[in-house]
Structures are given as C-alpha cells and as structure tokens.
Amino acid sequence: MKPVQEHHLRKPITPDLLLSPSEQGDGDLDSEYPADRGNWTGKLDFLLSCIGYCVGLGNVWRFPYRAYTNGGGAFLVPYFIMLAICGIPIFFMELSLGQFSSLGPLAVWKISPLFKGIGMGTILIVSLVAIYYNMIIAYVLFYLFASLTNNLPWQHCGNWWNTDLCLDHHVIKAGNAALPLNITNTVSPSEEYWSRYVLHIQGSSGIGDPGRIRWNLCLCLLLSWVIVYLCILKGVKSSGKVVYFTATFPYLILLMLLVRGVTLDGAWKGIKFYLTPQFDHLLSSKVWIEAALQIFYSLGVGFGGLLTFASYNTFHQNIYRDTFIVTLGNAITSILAGFAIFSVLGYMSQELGVPVDQVAKAGPGLAFVVYPQAMTMLPLSPFWSFLFFFMLLTLGLDSQFAFMETIVTAVTDEFPYYLRPKKAFFSAVICIVLFLMGLILTTEGGMYWLVLLDDYSAGFGLMVVVITTCLVVTRIYGMKRFCRDIHMMLGFKPGRYFQACWMFLSPVMMMALLVYNIIKYQPSEYGSYRFPYWAEVLGILMGLFSCLMIPAGMVLAVLREEGTLWERVQQASRPTMDWGPSLEEDRTGMYVATLAGSQSPKPLMVHMRKYGGITSYENTAIEVDKEIEEEESMM
C-alpha cells in the first residue's frame, strides 16, 4: 500500500476537455493541473470541525425550550427516533458524497448535471444565513466586551436608556418580602438594555424604517468578519487548527456553567420543569414534527458544510464511525445544555418569585435578555457573564467557518484554474461583500431584518433542497451504484437500515415536515410587532428563489446537450465522464476505465501494477466489478 504522504501529494485527474485552452498542449506536466485543493492536516481536524459545525447556538437557545414545551423528558423519545430516521442517514449521505468525489456543493453535481441547481440553491441559502449569523456573533461580541466591568451595565435601572417601566430584581425581592408587588407591566433592566441600548430599536418604526446605523454594532460586525476571515485564510489548513480550541473549549465552559447552575438554590425547580415527562404529548403530531425540525437544523444537513468538510478527507477516512460520533455527541450536548440553562432559570424563578415558564424563552431572548439577567443575580456576575458569552462566541464561530468554507470551496471548485491560486484573496472578497450586505442589520431596525432572514432564508427552501438531493442520489444515480461507491471507499456496503432510510423513511419524513410548515404557516413577528405584507412576500420569495434554482439549473443543463429533448434530459442525468474519486490511485474498479488516456482492455490490472499490487480496497473494487458483470449478463 502506498504511504499516506504520497496519497496527499498525488495530483487529481483532470480530463483534457476540462483543461483551459492555454494549458492544453503545454509540455510542462505541472501546468496540466489546477492548484491542489489541500487536505486536513491532522486526523482530528475533520471530526472537530464537524462537531463545531453541528454544536452551535441552537443547542443552547433552541433545544431546551423545545423540550420543555413539547413534553419535557418525553420529548427525548421522538427526538432520538427522528435522529435515527432523518438525522444520521442524511448526515452519512452528505459525508459520503463529499468524501467520494472530493468536490464542493456545486461541482459534486457531476453525479447528475441535470440537478446542479440543487448546489446553486444550497449556496444561496448558506450565503443568506452567513449574513445574519455573523450579526448574532457581533451581538455576542458586544456583550462580551460589556462584561469586562465590575458591574454589568444591565444590572440596575436608572441609566439613560431605561424607562419608568424598568424594575430590577432587587426591588422585586424587597417587594415580595413586604407587600405583594404587581410586576405585570414592568420590564427587566436586561430587556431594556438589549432593546433600547444595544439595538436602539425605538429609533425605528418597523422593517421599512431602518433608521441610523449603530456604529458600535457595526464595528462589532466588522470585527467578527475579520476574525472569521483570519481563521479561514488558508482554508481547512487554518480553520482545521482553530477548531481544536473553538470546538472543545465550549464544553469546558458548559461544564462550569452546569456545575454552577445545579448548585444554586431553586435549580431543581428548573430541571424538574425541563425534564418532567408528559407522555400525553406523544399523541400529538406537533411534537414529532418539532423533534424532526430540531434534528434537521441542529445537524446542519443541507447547508453544504458537511459535504465540504468531507471533501477534504483522504479517500478511505472512516466517515461511518465519524457520523455516529458527531450526531450522538450533538444530541448529548443539547441535553446537557438544557440542564445548564434550566438550572439557572430555576434559580431565577425562585429569586423573582414567578413560575419557571415566565422566565423561559427561546432564541435571542434567552441569550441576550433572560440569561444575562440571571447572571446579575450571581456572585462574581461579570465573570459568569463573560464565560457565557465566550462560550456563545466559540459556538457561533465554528458554524460560521463552515458556512464560509462552503461558499468559497463551491466557487473555487467550479473555477479551479483561476481561483484556487488566489483563494485567500477570493475569501476576502466574499467576506467584504457579505459584510456590506449585512450593514442593514446594524441599523436601529436591523433586528426586524434579522428575524425575516432567520424565518425564511433556511426554511422550506432548505427542505426542498435536501429532499431533492435524497431522491436524485437514490433514484436517478441509483441506490445500488451509490452503495457500491461507499463499498469501494470504506470497504463495506451500507446496511439495510441506511438503505431503507434513504429510499423511503427520510424523504417521507422530510416531505411531512415541508407540508406541515406550509399548512401551519404563520407570518413573522418580533414581540408585538407584526411584519407588513410586502415584507412577508419578500421573505417567501427569498425561500422560493433557492427552490427555483433547481428548475433553472435543469434548463441550463438540457440546453448544453444535443439531440431530442428526451435524449438531452437522459444525457444530462448521467454522471459526467470525470465523476468519481479525484486521485488516480483511488479510481479503482469501474472508475479506472474513465481515467484520461486509459486504453487498456484490463485497466484495473494496469492500475494495480502501476501502484504496486492489490490492496484490500482494490480487492473490493474487483468484487464490485464482478457484481456489475453478473448484473449485466442477467439483463
């Protein structure tokens, strides 16, 4: 077997038809290939990048809330069932496509050029998400800097941004000790700090009136883009090292917050509220849909990040093992985060003298209002506040690295001769463009735009993309062929469990999700603000545009072919001649015949002599070839 170093250094195959005109006929062999894509530089780079990508802000502010509103501990039953039906199989499929082809979300559609629009839709979705996701990181940076003080600025009322409705918890406790205090029409200092100081939302009348740019938020957004750019500057070679810190350190902080939380008075009230099983909820279809949605978004399937990361693996990386490590690790992290969050919320409810459900919120409200308020009740509150927001920062950055790497990899794989040598410059251009597009989010009405992007950019459009991907791979490309590819790559075929999920269970479940989302459609809102009709239409168009990329890509693919319409469709549906492993020594079995210049009647034998004998994987390739011959003889 060839040494690992040679495996990395060997050039990818590029058929002559794909060479640029200036490079065809050039005597210098090195000029026949684009700049090397690169690989992960360490064994753990890929695994930690996937963990960092999947374990994000949603684990902290979405999972605990969904659990307690959907049956508490009983919610874990549909959650793990949906993980098995939708999460793990689709996760493994994405990793397999990326690793087998060593291509990004656009170029991977050499598998069936007719559906390249799926990749275009993916890139559009990821670009929109990257714009607002980095704004959330900017908010986290704002609070991180604000925590570097002796007294947290949202601890008390009496600041210029506070109103007469402001009432802090010290007064509430004093009131509870003497006379009952009516707090129904009051607002906490942390809520007014968030809405009136950080967002300055009172300066905007709605989404159509963005108001002025908040320059402190603008600078935080600029800083967050600079951090992201510096970390992806050298592609996976740099981001793969950063994740050793950003993917592991949040666990240390989460453990500290968990230990601190469960030792607080009243913590048991929050944990009991979080996990008390209400099995009657399992009879509701809503709970099962909510569990599937949580799996769908927390694992990040469909965004292209998993496929991109896997494309930088060596060909025989054990992604089967990695799939279970990441998916189960992500689920366990979500459950632990729930303990850390609800133990503090239980303490908070005891301090305020109100039920837990009155302090529990989901989304940004938890991260920027409820939890900061809870921090003011603890000794050394700036320290705990800093730790919490530093954890959110590292959680958010991992996911943002994946979004940016997806966009950059997808485009550079399409134009390797021009963009790979200038990848750092191209990454800078992408970051600058997305920063400028995100400036609307730094205005006084920026939160309205962020909510619109959050609700529609990765909604039904993402589900359509994932459903179509699943159907194309299993029906158009073929389940048998896909399983053979995995057999050649990993040395074994996926079991019946995976095949049943890919063929039937996963697509049906995702279609049910899509139908449910359409039937239960609710207009966007932020607090008491209802979005105008034109904003709703804009949001729906945002989601539809990513779906329309699929038929648009089909039209372009058909126009490139020759013959009748049906012949064009058939030709565009088939994999391209250069589809398959990118490295020559990995193109065993049926893929040897597609090597540029391969004229041998027994190309596999030539290939094995060239690379020094039969390896275990080449034995697999021979088995696969025999299977194909037997099937063809039976037809």
Side-chain angles (χ1 to χ4, degrees), residues 125-152:
I125 290 168
V126 173
S127 300
L128 291 172
V129 171
I131 292 170
Y132 82 80
Y133 204 86
N134 226 26
M135 189 66 228
I136 296 173
I137 295 175
Y139 292 142
V140 171
L141 283 170
F142 190 99
Y143 271 82
L144 194 68
F145 295 138
S147 301
L148 299 173
T149 177
N150 290 328
N151 292 302
L152 296 173

Side-chain angles (χ1 to χ4, degrees), residues 362-439:
L366 173 69
F368 301 117
V369 177
V370 178
Y371 216 80
Q373 184 185 354
M375 293 298 101
T376 64
M377 302 177 184
L378 298 175
L380 299 174
S381 54
F383 170 73
W384 294 109
S385 177
F386 181 86
L387 276 187
F388 176 71
F389 286 109
F390 193 75
M391 178 182 73
L392 290 188
L393 176 65
T394 51
L395 287 174
L397 283 175
D398 289 331
S399 300
Q400 189 69 6
F401 294 159
F403 296 147
M404 293 308 299
E405 196 61 58
T406 299
I407 298 167
V408 173
T409 297
V411 182
T412 51
D413 279 351
E414 280 295 288
F415 308 100
Y417 299 96
Y418 308 106
L419 293 181
R420 271 188 202 160
K422 302 171 184 174
K423 194 171 181 180
F425 174 75
F426 179 64
S427 300
V429 171
I430 295 290
C431 288
I432 291 168
V433 169
L434 294 183
F435 164 71
L436 293 174
M437 292 176 72
L439 283 178

Side-chain angles (χ1 to χ4, degrees), residues 178-393:
L179 295 169
L181 192 65
N182 183 10
I183 62 169
T184 52
N185 293 319
T186 60
V187 182
S188 67
S190 63
E191 191 165 343
E192 289 203 333
Y193 179 82
W194 165 242
S195 62
R196 297 181 59 81
Y197 179 70
V198 179
L199 301 179
H200 204 263
I201 206 164
Q202 67 270 25
S204 166
S205 59
I207 192 169
D209 172 34
R212 296 171 298 177
I213 285 180
R214 299 278 292 148
W215 289 105
N216 43 10
L217 284 180
C218 185
L219 290 173
C220 285
L221 182 63
L222 178 62
L223 176 60
S224 63
W225 276 113
V226 169
I227 293 171
V228 169
Y229 173 69
L230 291 176
C231 292
I232 65 164
L233 180 61
K234 294 182 179 178
V236 293
K237 282 183 167 52
S238 54
S239 67
K241 294 307 174 193
V242 176
V243 293
Y244 276 81
F245 175 75
T246 56
T248 56
F249 197 66
Y251 284 96
L252 177 62
I253 301 178
L254 188 62
L255 188 62
M256 292 174 69
L257 291 171
L258 177 62
V259 171
R260 183 69 188 103
V262 296
T263 55
L264 293 169
D265 292 334
W268 65 271
K269 287 174 64 178
I271 293 171
K272 182 183 176 185
F273 192 80
Y274 165 52
L275 282 184
T276 300
Q278 301 166 41
F279 290 106
D280 56 306
H281 280 65
L282 299 183
L283 299 175
S284 166
S285 60
K286 176 180 174 291
V287 173
W288 293 83
I289 296 292
E290 289 280 335
L293 279 172
Q294 179 61 28
I295 289 294
F296 195 83
Y297 289 113
S298 69
L299 289 180
V301 292
F303 288 97
L306 298 170
L307 193 148
T308 301
F309 283 161
S311 73
Y312 291 103
N313 278 342
T314 54
F315 189 68
H316 299 302
Q317 167 87 10
N318 190 351
I319 49 172
Y320 183 78
R321 174 201 60 202
D322 295 342
T323 294
F324 286 97
I325 291 173
V326 177
T327 53
L328 294 175
N330 177 65
I332 292 166
T333 304
S334 296
I335 295 167
L336 282 177
F339 280 105
I341 296 297
F342 270 88
S343 60
V344 174
L345 295 184
Y347 166 72
M348 190 175 170
S349 76
Q350 180 158 307
E351 286 286 294
L352 298 176
V354 296
V356 178
D357 61 350
Q358 289 188 25
V359 294
K361 289 184 180 180
L366 173 69
F368 301 117
V369 177
V370 178
Y371 216 80
Q373 184 185 354
M375 293 298 101
T376 64
M377 302 177 184
L378 298 175
L380 299 174
S381 54
F383 170 73
W384 294 109
S385 177
F386 181 86
L387 276 187
F388 176 71
F389 286 109
F390 193 75
M391 178 182 73
L392 290 188
L393 176 65

